Amino acid sequence: MVVRHSPNTHHITEQDIYIKAKKILNSLNKANYEAYLVGGAVRDLLLDKSPKDFDIATSAHPEEVNRVFSSCRLIGRRFRLAHVHFGREYLEVATFRAPHHKNDHSGGKTTEDGRITHDNVYGTLEEDALRRDFTVNALFYDLQTGDVLDHVNGMDDIHKRQLRLIGDPETRYREDPVRMLRAIRFVAKLGFTIHPDTERPIYALGHLLKDIAPARLFDETLKLFHGGQALKTFHLLRQYDLFQYLFPLTEHSLLLDEDDTFLDFIETALSNTDKRINSGKSTTPAFLFAVMLWDKLNAHFEYHREEGQPAYQAMHKATNDVFSEQVRSIAVPRRFSNVSRDIWMLQARFTHKDCRSALAFIEHRRFRAAYDFYCLRASAGQLPAEECDWWTRFQFASPEDQEAMCEPFKRPKKRRRHRKRKK
Ligand code: ATP
Ligand code: MG
């Protein structure tokens, strides 16, 4: 049954709604379809936070949405969606969906163990509310009346600041184990507690994450660690025993990390990431993976060195070892893993402070990322702080000062081996 919370019982007003979302809602309503603002936007507005995106749910089928908007694109197989474009920007418009059952041949599919693989059974507004994950994510805002429509007692949970799965928690986690990660993400982001019934099954069901496509886990990992609450998220993931399914190598390093040096390193990195994100600076996933795999990388490097490999080759092999293991859980696209590799491979160059090497190095296109990583190592106590300081000063010094700084590090000229010239 639906409860309508009228405008005088909550404080969302028309002005809070993004103008492009309003345009879409109005156009769909005019074409006689039901259409509401839904999900994170309604939740965040009720909590006085500014929403990340404005998602819309409608009774119109994707093809019908396509007919209402000239600038519409239909995407997705697992979940067919309409993107309504405004230049390069777009908003997502999803048709109401129904929960569905095993062996249902009308567009919804679940595996033997209850996991949803296809999700294209259209339904009513109420059905759409019930198939959502948490009650606070299942509230609909009606632009025409200003009411918030609530089928799941979500408003009550907003006031209690708690996350509660809709329906039977274990069934809902089995349908889609990523909901466990979403729970952690929302706890970190919103500062909510998890209802005990929603919390309890997580410890026993974490292993289900092993069956999730690594590409999807990459997307979720970015949302978890680049949302401005990475440090808190990291602690929560470990507390709920979920971290090992995302970063098995890192978890193993942490188990062996008796004096917490690696833990300090990760915590320092994540708190830096949070600071960067919360002050509007950019971050790259390459850095996150370079941090998380650093300890195992060094272990593999040592191993290849002991095997008799030269340092460069040993490092190269170590990067392959750790990434080939990591991508079994999280599919890190090559454009990022290649940057992580560069960050690692370049660490050795910081020891060369002679003018020729140092001046060339600060011009390297990955210098900045490698330098950030080097200084992170210094701030986590892996290197003397002066090492980082030297490079900080050097890169910003005048050419004369640079010369004075690097001159003392002149390397003795290597004696050339005499080679016979070919005739
Ligand atoms: P954010 O502010 O991070 O975007 P959000 O709640 O909007 O949070 P989205 O991933 O954008 O999260 O999803 C939009 C909505 O779709 C959610 O609020 C929820 O209602 C529904 N949803 C998303 N993922 C799932 C899922 N795995 N299972 C059920 N419902 C989901
Ligand atoms: Mg959203």
Side-chain angles (χ1 to χ4, degrees):
M1 203 199 49
V2 62
V3 175
R4 283 182 167 269
H5 300 279
S6 58
N8 56 359
T9 63
H10 62 81
H11 53 266
I12 304 182
T13 64
E14 212 193 302
Q15 287 91 288
D16 297 327
I17 317 293
Y18 184 40
I19 182 130
K20 289 168 185 164
K22 275 197 269 198
K23 278 190 186 159
I24 297 176
L25 291 167
N26 284 327
S27 302
L28 286 167
N29 287 153
K30 239 187 243 156
N32 282 328
Y33 297 110
E34 278 181 87
Y36 305 95
L37 190 67
V38 66
V42 182
R43 177 199 69 216
D44 290 350
L45 288 174
L46 288 170
L47 293 167
D48 261 338
K49 289 180 183 285
S50 47
K52 206 176 69 192
D53 43 31
F54 284 81
D55 295 331
I56 288 163
T58 179
S59 59
H61 287 193
E63 297 71 26
E64 294 171 325
V65 178
N66 199 18
R67 257 176 262 139
V68 175
F69 302 97
S70 53
S71 59
C72 177
R73 238 192 257 159
L74 301 186
I75 59 135
R77 250 162 49 85
R78 182 179 179 272
F79 201 98
R80 208 160 161 71
L81 285 174
H83 282 174
V84 177
H85 282 258
F86 298 86
R88 288 178 71 187
E89 187 194 358
Y90 64 83
L91 274 76
E92 223 165 72
V93 179
T95 306
F96 297 152
R97 266 149 178 97
H100 46 76
H101 307 285
K102 270 189 205 175
N103 306 323
D104 174 336
H105 296 295
S106 55
K109 278 191 193 143
T110 48
T111 57
E112 274 308 304
D113 58 6
R115 200 153 43 87
I116 299 176
T117 51
H118 284 73
D119 205 0
N120 277 326
V121 190
Y122 301 127
T124 62
L125 169 66
E126 178 164 13
E127 286 171 323
D128 191 68
L130 298 180
R131 63 98 194 162
R132 289 177 184 273
D133 49 3
F134 303 100
T135 59
V136 294
N137 284 349
L139 297 166
F140 297 81
Y141 176 78
D142 183 348
L143 182 66
Q144 290 181 315
T145 60
D147 291 348
V148 172
L149 278 56
D150 183 0
H151 300 79
V152 291
N153 220 8
M155 199 63 124
D156 194 38
D157 289 331
I158 289 269
H159 294 136
K160 289 184 180 151
R161 303 181 72 80
Q162 72 174 1
L163 274 185
R164 192 163 55 85
L165 270 171
I166 299 167
D168 171 55
E170 183 167 339
T171 313
R172 301 306 312 281
Y173 287 136
R174 286 188 182 281
E175 273 175 10
D176 183 4
V178 168
R179 289 172 185 151
M180 291 183 269
L181 298 178
R182 290 175 58 83
I184 303 302
R185 179 154 73 85
F186 294 127
V187 167
K189 170 177 164 160
L190 307 170
F192 276 27
T193 55
I194 314 184
H195 186 283
D197 295 345
T198 296
E199 184 178 43
R200 211 173 299 114
I202 296 181
Y203 298 98
L205 299 179
H207 66 94
L208 295 172
L209 288 169
K210 286 187 196 159
D211 298 330
I212 301 300
R216 185 164 178 222
L217 287 187
F218 176 75
D219 295 343
E220 287 304 320
T221 301
L222 287 201
K223 290 185 198 166
L224 284 162
F225 287 96
H226 285 178
Q229 293 290 347
L231 184 59
K232 201 168 162 192
T233 302
F234 168 68
H235 289 145
L236 286 165
L237 286 171
R238 291 200 80 214
Q239 182 188 326
Y240 285 96
D241 250 355
L242 298 176
F243 185 71
Q244 56 171 315
Y245 301 107
L246 297 175
F247 292 99
L249 292 177
T250 315
E251 180 63 34
H252 190 250
S253 295
L254 290 168
L255 291 177
L256 304 177
D257 180 36
E258 281 171 8
D259 54 2
D260 285 350
T261 47
F262 187 48
L263 181 68
D264 285 348
F265 177 66
I266 294 179
E267 290 181 338
T268 310
L270 296 180
S271 99
N272 286 351
T273 304
D274 288 340
K275 277 188 214 134
R276 284 187 72 90
I277 290 187
N278 294 322
S279 59
K281 291 193 190 143
S282 68
T283 45
T284 163
F287 204 82
L288 176 73
F289 288 92
V291 167
M292 293 297 189
L293 297 172
W294 177 236
D295 179 70
K296 279 284 178 267
L297 177 90
N298 284 311
H300 282 252
F301 173 72
E302 291 302 328
Y303 171 81
H304 291 301
R305 284 296 275 158
E306 276 162 26
E307 264 189 336
Q309 304 273 347
Y312 186 87
Q313 271 85 340
M315 183 50 95
H316 193 73
K317 284 198 167 175
T319 66
N320 286 342
D321 294 345
V322 292
F323 264 114
S324 57
E325 188 68 29
Q326 177 63 68
V327 295
R328 290 155 61 139
S329 333
I330 301 178
V332 188
R334 274 200 198 276
R335 65 181 187 282
F336 298 125
S337 59
N338 285 343
V339 180
S340 310
R341 283 171 207 269
D342 287 350
I343 291 174
W344 291 330
M345 301 285 298
L346 289 172
Q347 294 303 299
R349 285 186 61 174
F350 288 101
T351 51
H352 303 312
K353 295 181 190 151
D354 61 285
C355 297
R356 221 170 84 108
S357 312
L359 288 168
F361 189 25
I362 56 173
E363 296 302 324
H364 191 288
R365 67 190 183 114
R366 297 271 185 254
F367 172 78
R368 189 75 218 177
Y371 159 80
D372 285 345
F373 193 81
Y374 190 68
C375 289
L376 171 70
R377 291 171 61 199
S379 54
Q382 293 181 8
L383 298 164
E386 305 85 67
E387 289 297 310
C388 157
D389 295 345
W390 191 90
W391 286 96
T392 309
R393 281 183 285 118
F394 184 72
Q395 59 185 302
F396 299 113
S398 67
E400 298 77 46
D401 290 347
Q402 281 180 330
E403 199 69 32
M405 284 177 79
C406 56
E407 192 54 30
F409 295 97
K410 207 180 229 168
R411 285 198 278 183
K413 268 197 186 148
K414 273 187 199 162
R415 250 199 269 149
R416 287 206 175 181
R417 255 193 278 154
H418 192 69
R419 263 196 230 147
K420 267 189 187 171
R421 252 205 225 147
K422 273 184 194 167
K423 284 197 178 158

